[in-house]
Amino acid sequence: ETGVTQTPRHLVMGMTNKKSLKCEQHLGHNAMYWYKQSAKKPLELMFVYSLEERVENNSVPSRFSPECPNSSHLFLHLHTLQPEDSALYLCASSQAPGQSSGNTIYFGEGSWLTVV
Amino acid sequence: QKEVEQNSGPLSVPEGAIASLNCTYSDRGSQSFFWYRQYSGKSPELIMFIYSNGDKEDGRFTAQLNKASQYVSLLIRDSQPSDSATYLCAVRVGSQGNLIFGKGTKLSVKP
């Protein structure tokens, strides 16, 4: 059990579907992240929210849309995905960069996404 | 482009041996370094972090950092089969940069 919880843990969706991934952190952090993990690739940073503002968007296609309503919750809205988007999507949280020397990132359990 | 390089393995060691995992990074502005362990089908979990040159020990784990050589390593003493996992090296450039991850090294500890 971690301080970062993600739902659903597994999701199968068609290319025309719209779905959302949800993340909640209970660690009192004020930065949240979405990462994508595909086979044989490094973890790819998708989005960063710091103090509820999006501070980074690493050239992610617009079919992925993040939402951060407050410092404890983060969503990833998915629409018209492609089969190559199938991957493990990891949410993470930390103190905002620059606020402490650690800024250690803690991951949730991940959401396994399969696009058919 | 900032890069973090790891040998993908698999690295196979016998139970009780020392496992040595290595990582190099390209950006000399990197200030903090992290090791994560990821079991198959699970998310990464933090093992330890290191900021200063030298060694940092935590139980059976020792992180070693050499900024001049842009090299960070993780030693696991008395390796156990339960240590079998993929170990991810991550580097933060500056105090406000995001973590950049390597591809990970798969470790297999044979009983």
Side-chain angles (χ1 to χ4, degrees):
Chain A
E1 182 179 335
T2 71
V4 182
T5 57
Q6 290 186 240
T7 56
R9 297 293 313 281
H10 298 271
L11 177 63
V12 179
M13 61 185 289
M15 289 189 285
T16 58
N17 290 160
K18 288 185 179 181
K19 298 285 185 183
S20 296
L21 306 180
K22 178 183 176 182
C23 177
E24 182 174 359
Q25 61 95 2
H26 311 276
L27 300 170
H29 291 157
N30 49 23
M32 296 187 77
Y33 310 78
W34 280 116
Y35 283 86
K36 176 183 177 182
Q37 189 173 38
S38 306
K40 302 191 185 303
K41 288 186 176 182
L43 275 167
E44 300 172 58
L45 180 63
M46 299 176 72
F47 300 104
V48 181
Y49 278 83
S50 179
L51 303 172
E52 299 170 36
E53 289 189 18
R54 189 192 304 183
V55 296
E56 188 142 347
N57 173 353
N58 278 355
S59 303
V60 179
S62 60
R63 56 186 184 270
F64 295 92
S65 175
E67 178 189 0
C68 186
N70 55 60
S71 61
S72 299
H73 293 86
L74 184 65
F75 295 88
L76 187 62
H77 302 301
L78 316 169
H79 61 98
T80 60
L81 295 191
Q82 304 298 311
E84 59 265 28
D85 296 322
S86 299
L88 176 66
Y89 288 85
L90 290 160
C91 175
S93 71
S94 74
Q95 291 299 334
Q99 289 198 343
S100 74
S101 60
N103 302 143
T104 303
I105 285 182
Y106 295 91
F107 287 92
E109 291 294 320
S111 295
W112 288 95
L113 173 66
T114 302
V115 181
V116 297
Chain B
Q1 180 156 348
K2 305 178 180 70
E3 292 184 346
V4 177
E5 298 288 340
Q6 294 182 257
N7 188 323
S8 61
L11 173 66
S12 184
V13 300
E15 183 174 357
I18 296 175
S20 178
L21 303 159
N22 304 315
C23 173
T24 58
Y25 57 94
S26 62
D27 195 314
R28 288 194 171 274
S30 302
Q31 292 191 1
S32 46
F33 307 85
F34 302 78
W35 283 101
Y36 286 81
R37 176 178 62 200
Q38 186 173 22
Y39 291 113
S40 181
K42 300 291 187 181
S43 62
E45 55 179 328
L46 180 71
I47 297 176
M48 60 193 306
F49 53 84
I50 186 168
Y51 308 124
S52 304
N53 275 328
D55 295 0
K56 179 181 178 182
E57 187 174 319
D58 183 1
R60 295 187 296 113
F61 298 96
T62 299
Q64 299 176 317
L65 176 60
N66 184 325
K67 289 186 178 181
S69 300
Q70 295 176 242
Y71 177 91
V72 58
S73 65
L74 180 70
L75 301 178
I76 307 175
R77 289 182 300 282
D78 188 25
S79 296
Q80 302 297 310
S82 58
D83 295 325
S84 298
T86 297
Y87 289 80
L88 304 173
C89 174
V91 173
R92 171 171 282 117
V93 178
S95 63
Q96 303 202 24
N98 293 307
L99 284 189
I100 300 171
F101 284 83
K103 292 184 180 181
T105 298
K106 186 172 183 179
L107 172 67
S108 177
V109 181
K110 303 294 186 185

